[in-house]
Amino acid sequence: MFRSIKSPLGIIVSSAVFFATAMVLWLAISEHEDLYHKAVRGNVNALATNLTDDLAVVLEGENINYTELSVVLAQLEAYDNIISAGVYDDDGALLSQVDGKAVDRATSPVTEKALDAQTPAGFFTENNDLVSIHYIGEPAMLKGYLKVVTDVSRPVTRSKRALLFQAMPLVFVILLVTIGISLYFLSRLLRPLYSLSRFTQQVNETKDYALRYETGHKNEISKLGNSINNLLEMIEVELTINYEQNQTLIEQQQTMTRLANYDSLTGLPNRQFVMDNLRLELARARRADEDLVLMFFDLDGFKGINDSLGHETGDLILIEVADRVTTMLREGDLVARLGGDEFIILPDRDTSRASIENMANRVITAFSEPFQLRGLALTVGVSLGIAKATDADFDLSQLMSNADLAMYRSKAKGRGTYTIFTPDMVESHKRKLSIANSIDQAISNHEFQIYYQPKIDGKGVIIGFEALIRWVHPDFGMIMPAEFIPIAEQGGKISAITRWVIEQVCVEMSALRQHLQRRFRVSINLSGHDLRHSGLFDSIHALFIKHNINPEYIEFEVTESAYLENFALSNKFFRRVSNMGCAIALDDFGTGYSSLSYLTQISIDTLKIDRQFIRELETSERSRLVTGTIIDLAKRLSLTICAEGIENHEQWEYLLEHGCDHVQGFLFSKPIPLHQFDTLPARFERRALIQSNL
Ligand code: C2E
Ligand code: CA
Ligand code: CA
């Protein structure tokens, strides 16, 4: 009701002052009335005493002189407030009466005819009028009574009014002054309370709990101020504690978030983080009707590095990979480690083909420089798979699976490539599955065949053959090993195939020997997976015995990466195989590890220069340089050098010039089945080849 404490207090104080003043006024008027009454009685008494003295003389005789009586009474007519007066004899009978000036105002009968005998003298009030009875003569010898009726109420009222009129202005001034002074002191008293209230309001608005109320005198408000100061101090302490606890909580939460969302080795976001992010991004892209690109990549032969050079080296490589990729990305691109050697890149917005290809190329370039680790220079390949959200209908797992598919395409194509997912890959994926599922059947149904590609020396003489598997599939027709070998490797079916190839070569060995009446070697390709199976040597040994094979007719080819990925096992295996008499060739040399120091530690006989260098001999200075260097290196290490993929005589000329021992390629012969061996010449003439090539 009241917004300020001042108003009710002001009202209370004013009312109190007003009430006190009224009380004083009322008391004064009452007193005045009392005094007035006393004065009137005194006057009436004095007047009556005079009259009774005169009346006593008149009533002295036997006969009453009424005229004299009337004259005496007539004195009363001069008085304003006398209503009437009567004289009675000693028996109370009325002798004479007179009306005073105030007779008109009388309310009661002025006089009675008689008075009770022995009426006592004195004053009483009758109908507001003052009636007085006086004895005439001594009470012992009473001669009569005098009764005087006086009007007092009206004169009193008049007098009171007069008094009131006189006193009122003064009273009013005093009242105002008193109220004014009271209010002044009241507001002075309340001032500290107001300042305290303002202070608390300030604290409330600024939330600055370091503020303090300045306390002056030692009154209740100062005590209240002190209490508020104490309270603020407590709040401040509590707030500090709260703040510190909050900080700790925030830090803990950040640590938890980091642990939950970031990979501890590389510091990159982890699978959990990127999946959450991707889910949101996909929803956003779908709403905005935009596309989104996902890039998968993993390192070629990383497992081999881990196995041969140790996990610490593997970890160092992963850290550097994260570093290299992060520095080449633009702001807004996201790179994360999914686990193992698998990474993911989420490029920021721009999904144009040019931008994607540009980024893919930059990632590949980031891997072109060898990794310098612990004195080794390691070249690590990378395979990229790229998928778009629109091709996956914005479904996260579909998108991931598409990118994965594209990445495996890159792996199948060879190192340092990227593949952008296209829907037909799903179809080819189905083909892949169907191939994987029919390998076992293919062996029992004799669907595999061995094709042989001759290897020749510098004089054009066949010194051996490379056994290359072919699959004539009942539904898909001829399937090349480049397609089904990786599938077999992934599906764990490669050992069965390798065993079949070795046995088949053993079976066909006698036919081969009949065709070529000289020493030669049949080269059998081994996969990295074969080397991880410890039983391989025993089964080879058993097959050689079973088919009566001279191990000196056999060579095993293994790729540089397969050898190094299983370094310890490979070394042991090839040493045993070599001791038995077989030769060992390092296939596809020059593409993988650029550190050559291991060459002195492994037991091999031949280096096979990778086809890509031969293909580029005419066009690439670098390939010519690498080829020359590899040949030179092989010579220094007393290794035989073999070049594959020779398709024209210029390539052969070049290789011959540089002292390459053996060559193999379509220029001489494509791989052929045994029954076509009749088409092979006894010797490949250079001149004839040049002409046929022309
Ligand atoms: P590779 O060991 O490098 O075999 C040489 C490949 O080069 C063969 O392909 C051969 O046909 C091809 N080639 C030879 N000369 C030329 C040429 O002048 N030009 C061109 N363009 N190509 C030429 P193929 O038979 O398709 O085999 C592909 C790969 O499959 C082989 O590469 C090898 O890694 C794998 N492979 C083949 N047979 C087997 C096998 O029995 N076991 C295992 N584990 N892998 C095999
Ligand atoms: Ca080979
Ligand atoms: Ca090769």
Side-chain angles (χ1 to χ4, degrees), residues 450 453 466-470 480-482 485 489 494 497-498 501 524-527 530 557 559 587-588 608 610-611 644-647 664-667 669 671:
I450 303 266
Q453 187 179 35
E466 180 171 3
L468 296 158
I469 192 170
R470 299 289 181 265
M480 298 303 277
I485 292 288
E489 284 176 340
I494 191 68
I497 291 179
T498 304
V501 171
I524 297 171
N525 289 287
L526 291 180
S527 128
D530 293 323
E557 288 189 8
T559 61
D587 209 353
D588 302 346
K608 283 189 82 174
D610 191 75
R611 216 164 65 216
E644 65 180 341
I646 286 87
E647 293 185 357
Q664 168 190 357
F666 291 175
L667 178 66
S669 168

Side-chain angles (χ1 to χ4, degrees), residues 609-621:
I609 308 174
D610 191 75
R611 216 164 65 216
Q612 87 177 49
F613 301 116
I614 309 303
R615 194 172 55 226
E616 293 167 357
L617 270 184
E618 291 110 288
T619 53
S620 156
E621 174 63 31

Side-chain angles (χ1 to χ4, degrees), residues 133-277:
I133 306 290
H134 308 271
Y135 294 142
I136 304 170
E138 293 302 309
M141 297 174 57
L142 200 63
K143 290 185 178 121
Y145 301 93
L146 172 66
K147 178 183 176 187
V148 182
V149 181
T150 318
D151 175 19
V152 268
S153 61
R154 275 168 209 81
V156 164
T157 310
R158 252 199 319 277
S159 166
K160 282 199 296 197
R161 200 174 295 149
L163 179 73
L164 221 59
F165 275 120
Q166 264 178 8
M168 221 35 183
L170 188 67
V171 168
F172 192 67
V173 169
I174 291 173
L175 194 72
L176 280 184
V177 170
T178 313
I179 289 177
I181 291 172
S182 307
L183 289 181
Y184 168 74
F185 280 108
L186 191 71
S187 77
R188 274 203 67 161
L189 269 176
L190 289 177
R191 206 173 290 157
L193 197 62
Y194 283 132
S195 105
L196 187 60
S197 157
R198 269 198 307 278
F199 169 76
T200 50
Q201 206 169 338
Q202 187 190 0
V203 171
N204 197 24
E205 279 165 7
T206 58
K207 303 277 178 260
D208 180 0
Y209 301 106
L211 292 176
R212 289 294 174 269
Y213 179 68
E214 271 179 39
T215 51
H217 311 286
K218 294 208 161 149
N219 56 20
E220 286 85 348
I221 292 174
S222 294
K223 280 183 194 159
L224 186 62
N226 274 329
S227 302
I228 288 174
N229 282 348
N230 290 343
L231 215 61
L232 284 173
E233 213 149 282
M234 267 162 62
I235 290 174
E236 228 191 332
V237 171
E238 284 296 316
L239 278 181
T240 316
I241 294 171
N242 261 10
Y243 177 79
E244 280 165 8
Q245 282 176 343
N246 237 22
Q247 269 327 88
T248 320
L249 273 179
I250 289 170
E251 276 165 26
Q252 278 173 344
Q253 197 176 335
Q254 281 170 346
T255 314
M256 302 267 284
T257 313
R258 210 174 34 248
L259 285 178
N261 290 319
Y262 291 86
D263 169 43
S264 55
L265 179 69
T266 59
L268 292 181
N270 62 12
R271 174 183 283 271
Q272 164 84 31
F273 179 88
V274 86
M275 288 299 130
D276 291 348
N277 221 42

Side-chain angles (χ1 to χ4, degrees), residues 437-447:
N437 290 330
S438 50
I439 290 176
D440 290 332
Q441 221 179 341
I443 294 176
S444 51
N445 289 355
H446 308 289
E447 291 168 15

Side-chain angles (χ1 to χ4, degrees), residues 661-673:
D661 301 308
H662 301 151
V663 285
Q664 168 190 357
F666 291 175
L667 178 66
F668 313 103
S669 168
K670 290 198 167 175
I672 48 168

Side-chain angles (χ1 to χ4, degrees), residues 607 609 625-639 641 658-659:
L607 280 187
I609 308 174
L625 205 73
V626 171
T627 308
T629 313
I630 292 175
I631 295 172
D632 193 47
L633 177 86
K635 297 259 170 274
R636 283 172 204 274
L637 294 170
S638 313
L639 297 173
I641 184 89
H658 285 78

